[in-house]
Amino acid sequence: MKDLNRLKVVLAEKKRTNKWLAEQLGKNVTTVSKWCTNSSQPDLQTLDKIAELLECDTRVLITSKYATEL
């Protein structure tokens, strides 16, 4: 299965952890871990909040095409 999000990559680039993101969102660390391994996906509202917290465009979390453009 193809990865649907780049959350793990962007967290590493921003020097943030799954635990930090889980705390910021009020989510379980296991949930965030599943997002990072692409075994499940956050809803669009949560994805927007993640982008806000990581100070990046939401598109960067979805595809690498925008990672260098934005």
Side-chain angles (χ1 to χ4, degrees):
M1 180 179 193
K2 184 177 179 182
D3 289 348
L4 297 176
N5 75 60
R6 299 181 64 249
L7 185 53
K8 182 177 181 177
V9 173
V10 177
L11 280 170
E13 289 172 354
K14 299 289 185 171
K15 297 180 178 24
R16 297 294 187 172
T17 64
N18 295 8
K19 182 179 178 184
W20 174 86
L21 184 59
E23 289 171 353
Q24 298 302 307
L25 296 171
K27 301 282 186 187
N28 190 298
V29 176
T30 303
T31 300
V32 174
S33 178
K34 287 179 181 180
W35 297 341
C36 288
T37 60
N38 277 280
S39 58
S40 71
Q41 301 300 321
D43 60 43
L44 291 176
Q45 183 178 7
T46 303
L47 200 62
D48 280 340
K49 180 65 177 172
I50 293 168
E52 182 182 313
L53 289 167
L54 294 175
E55 299 176 341
C56 69
D57 190 288
T58 305
R59 294 174 290 180
V60 171
L61 297 172
I62 300 170
T63 178
S64 60
K65 175 182 176 184
Y66 295 102
T68 57
E69 294 177 13
L70 298 173

